[in-house]
Amino acid sequence: ESMTVAAYAVGAENGWIFLRGEYPRAHTRLHNAVDEALKAGYLGQNILGKAGFNFTIHVRLGAGAYICGEETALFEAIEGKRGFPRIKPPFPTTHGLFGQPTSINNVETLVAMLAALNVGEAEWTEHGTDKSPGTKLFCLSGDVADPGVYEVPFGLTVREMIELAGGVPDGRAIKAVLMGGAAGVFIGPDKLDTPLTYEDARAAGFPIGSGVIMVFDETADLQQHLFELAHFFAHESCGKCFPCQIGTQRQLEIWDRIANNGGPQSGDKQILLDVGFTMTETSLCGLGQTAASAIVSAIKLWPELVE
């Protein structure tokens, strides 16, 4: 429904939903939903009797590559090619899917738009704050009693979100929280009372991002978790640009030694910061530009991990 509204707004006649290959149940449900909408006359030709308003939705299943979350790599995958990011410009608004002008959004953005339309601007802006109106989906994981996805108004603090998920089991203290997912930033216990709004998060130096809040209690082995993050990015790098291809590999090699083969050596801290800076400043797309974000933030908070 959101996509049909968006298509009407921008004058599009074709829409694509791209889904990771790990979600077969969602794939089946989306296909069913598209079929039902088509039969009911909400998709197809002259929708709801509006002459000339034609819109079709196609569901595409990817092969599970994280890189396809980058918008132009997603276009390449839908077109049947390997999921490599494109060089920009040109931008999707003029040269997108199949070379056509394309509007690309996250699912959550479209659904929020629909909710705001349904309840009206006044009621929507009653939730959240002036600069971050409405609600947000947060995914709580790690050392919490009730992990899951929670929809709340913007403005709850990090601590309140963790308590909403049942808090840390057995009364253990919080050592660290990873905000924004694998490409996010670590914060310490001193920032747990930061409100979850875009403006407050920016002032506190961490991203809201995808809404991931991963909690690590006092027993967590952060060196091992940072090795796992480094392994993830080295595995998911598409290899198109050298800063990310080589940087993620060097990052992994160092963290493998630190976590699993003897611990840190002299110079590890500076090398990791240099590799992180190079990837952030020179990688082609957002994957490489954020592949060191969590690691660099952890090094700055807890330098003893690499010294």
Side-chain angles (χ1 to χ4, degrees), residues 229-296:
L229 280 172
H231 182 274
F232 171 78
F233 280 107
H235 177 72
E236 295 291 351
S237 172
C238 76
K240 182 169 183 176
C241 72
F242 287 130
C244 177
Q245 180 196 60
I246 298 173
T248 54
Q249 190 60 40
R250 294 293 171 266
Q251 189 172 252
L252 171 61
E253 291 166 0
I254 293 171
W255 279 108
D256 187 24
R257 174 171 44 74
I258 291 173
N260 305 314
N261 293 295
Q265 295 179 359
S266 176
D268 281 350
K269 177 182 176 182
Q270 193 57 51
I271 293 171
L272 286 167
L273 291 175
D274 288 347
V275 168
F277 174 82
T278 303
M279 285 195 291
T280 301
E281 295 296 322
T282 62
S283 292
L284 176 61
C285 83
L287 188 150
Q289 292 163 12
T290 58
S293 296
I295 286 170
V296 168

Side-chain angles (χ1 to χ4, degrees), residues 196-224:
L196 287 165
T197 66
Y198 289 113
E199 60 271 23
D200 290 301
R202 192 178 302 113
F206 65 82
I208 295 287
S210 58
V212 167
I213 301 176
M214 186 176 290
V215 181
F216 300 88
D217 69 23
E218 58 192 343
T219 67
D221 182 350
L222 289 185
Q223 286 182 334
Q224 185 62 33

Side-chain angles (χ1 to χ4, degrees), residues 38-107:
L38 192 59
K39 290 174 184 175
Y42 298 127
L43 292 173
Q45 305 294 308
N46 302 319
I47 296 172
L48 297 176
K50 179 79 172 172
F53 178 35
N54 310 319
F55 184 59
T56 303
I57 291 178
H58 314 268
V59 181
R60 289 287 183 272
L61 194 63
Y66 180 74
I67 188 65
C68 290
E70 197 280 333
E71 58 188 13
T72 60
L74 187 151
F75 294 155
E76 294 285 290
I78 291 176
E79 292 176 12
K81 293 175 279 188
R82 188 171 180 179
F84 275 163
R86 299 173 182 173
I87 294 173
K88 292 181 282 191
F91 295 100
T93 47
T94 57
H95 296 77
L97 188 61
F98 300 110
Q100 300 299 304
T102 305
S103 170
I104 179 165
N105 290 280
N106 287 327
V107 171

Side-chain angles (χ1 to χ4, degrees), residues 23-46:
Y23 305 129
R25 181 170 58 180
H27 185 244
T28 300
R29 288 176 173 176
L30 282 167
H31 264 296
N32 290 341
V34 170
D35 289 343
E36 287 181 13
L38 192 59
K39 290 174 184 175
Y42 298 127
L43 292 173
Q45 305 294 308
N46 302 319

